[in-house]
Amino acid sequence: MERIIASIGFGEAGQAFARPGIRTHDRKIADPATRGALLDACRAAGVAGCDTPQEALSGAHAVFSLVTADQALPAAQDYATYLTSQALWLDMNSVAPDTKRAAAEVIAAAGGRYVDVAVMAPVLPARLAVPLLLSGPDAPEAEAVLRDHGFTNVAIAGPTIGDASSIKMIRSVMVKGLEALTAECALAAERAGVREAVIASLDASWKPQGWESRIDYNLDRMMAHGLRRAAEMEEVAVTLQALGVAPAMTRGTIRRQRALGSLGLTPPDGLTAKLALLGDTQ
């Protein structure tokens, strides 16, 4: 028997993951200003655009929740009652583990089965090749559903709801943080007229290494020299302000460097030992 797939939300991710024959509901379908374009996108993808969530979810074996992060929990709260008993609710939104656990309680109370799905890369241009991490008791069945739908890069992160989203959220500290640092650095370098020299210096000093070694080295420097580095970064903030670039990321760097440096700890060898020594200090 063919299993019905539905989606809630038909934005960038919903359209990237669409396959002919699925049903979708998006709140924008009720807005005359966006209804036409949304239905055109549905038709182009071979997807049935439904006016109501009841119509989209009726009889569905699995539902892809693909809304904005601030709507992940409200979507579960608003639509759980329309789920078929034992339907899989695949929460593919980028939200905190606690948010996903709260949504899971709502889905379970309505008789559905919740799966934490972390989308680990931009959905475009990868589409169904985007890497997915799954977690929760029903992750193995969800993996089969996703592969049958056409996803080719699916893995199970763990048995507990929150395992997948924890990996994504914590990884984002580095990924999105580097993006923000890049913007702050590049804007200041451009305004100071030294962009090429700064890039050349970064190229010369940024040696290839694995992330475990990189984190170990960075913590070593911060524990040993955090106070001095914080003082230096105060001057970096002055430099940026003089160029008209708000030192938002730099201010955070100052606080973190000072916090580790003020502990007065001698860095032990190895990342595991460093993290154990730092414990709950941060």
Side-chain angles (χ1 to χ4, degrees), residues 10 16 22 24 28 34 46 50 53 67 85 104 144 146 149 165 167 170 174 226 235 240 259 279-280 282:
F10 202 63
I22 72 169
T24 189
K28 291 182 179 179
T34 53
C50 301
V67 296
S85 178
L146 288 165
H149 183 76
S165 51
I167 295 170
I170 296 169
M174 189 67 70
E235 294 303 308
L240 295 183
D280 296 326
Q282 299 303 302

Side-chain angles (χ1 to χ4, degrees), residues 61-116:
H61 172 72
V63 179
F64 300 164
S65 177
L66 293 163
V67 296
T68 55
D70 63 319
Q71 292 301 307
L73 179 55
Q77 294 168 331
D78 291 346
Y79 304 141
T81 56
Y82 305 134
L83 290 174
T84 300
S85 178
Q86 294 298 296
L88 292 167
W89 180 273
L90 279 62
D91 191 337
M92 309 174 84
N93 303 298
S94 297
V95 295
D98 282 349
T99 305
K100 292 210 168 183
R101 284 188 278 265
E105 292 180 2
V106 173
I107 297 299
R113 294 180 293 157
Y114 183 97
V115 181
D116 175 6

Side-chain angles (χ1 to χ4, degrees), residues 115-118 120 132-137 139-140 143 154-168:
V115 181
D116 175 6
V117 182
M120 299 301 292
L132 303 178
L133 286 181
L134 281 58
S135 66
E143 180 183 11
V154 187
I156 296 177
T160 304
I161 292 166
D163 288 343
S165 51
S166 290
I167 295 170
K168 178 178 176 64

Side-chain angles (χ1 to χ4, degrees), residues 24-244:
T24 189
H25 172 73
D26 190 297
R27 289 180 176 178
K28 291 182 179 179
I29 204 166
D31 184 347
T34 53
R35 178 180 176 85
L38 185 63
L39 290 176
D40 286 345
C42 288
R43 282 190 288 269
V47 171
C50 301
D51 285 328
T52 66
Q54 298 96 313
E55 182 185 356
L57 303 186
S58 177
H61 172 72
V63 179
F64 300 164
S65 177
L66 293 163
V67 296
T68 55
D70 63 319
Q71 292 301 307
L73 179 55
Q77 294 168 331
D78 291 346
Y79 304 141
T81 56
Y82 305 134
L83 290 174
T84 300
S85 178
Q86 294 298 296
L88 292 167
W89 180 273
L90 279 62
D91 191 337
M92 309 174 84
N93 303 298
S94 297
V95 295
D98 282 349
T99 305
K100 292 210 168 183
R101 284 188 278 265
E105 292 180 2
V106 173
I107 297 299
R113 294 180 293 157
Y114 183 97
V115 181
D116 175 6
V117 182
V119 181
M120 299 301 292
V123 299
L124 295 177
R127 298 183 184 273
L128 298 180
V130 71
L132 303 178
L133 286 181
L134 281 58
S135 66
D138 296 293
E141 184 175 344
E143 180 183 11
V145 169
L146 288 165
R147 290 192 182 279
D148 186 61
H149 183 76
F151 287 96
T152 59
N153 192 350
V154 187
I156 296 177
T160 304
I161 292 166
D163 288 343
S165 51
S166 290
I167 295 170
K168 178 178 176 64
M169 292 294 103
I170 296 169
R171 174 182 178 271
S172 290
V173 173
M174 189 67 70
V175 175
K176 273 71 170 183
L178 285 175
E179 291 172 359
L181 283 168
T182 298
E184 201 159 294
C185 176
L187 288 168
E190 182 71 7
R191 292 187 186 183
V194 294
R195 173 167 52 111
E196 292 183 1
V198 168
I199 291 174
S201 179
L202 288 171
D203 285 339
S205 61
W206 200 267
K207 62 181 180 180
Q209 61 182 153
W211 273 105
E212 181 159 353
S213 297
R214 188 185 302 277
I215 293 170
D216 182 37
Y217 175 81
N218 289 347
L219 289 179
D220 192 282
R221 298 297 85 197
M222 294 172 73
M223 292 169 72
H225 307 295
L227 292 177
R228 174 173 59 79
R229 287 171 176 244
E232 293 170 356
M233 291 304 293
E234 290 282 9
E235 294 303 308
V236 171
V238 172
T239 302
L240 295 183
Q241 287 175 321
L243 292 167

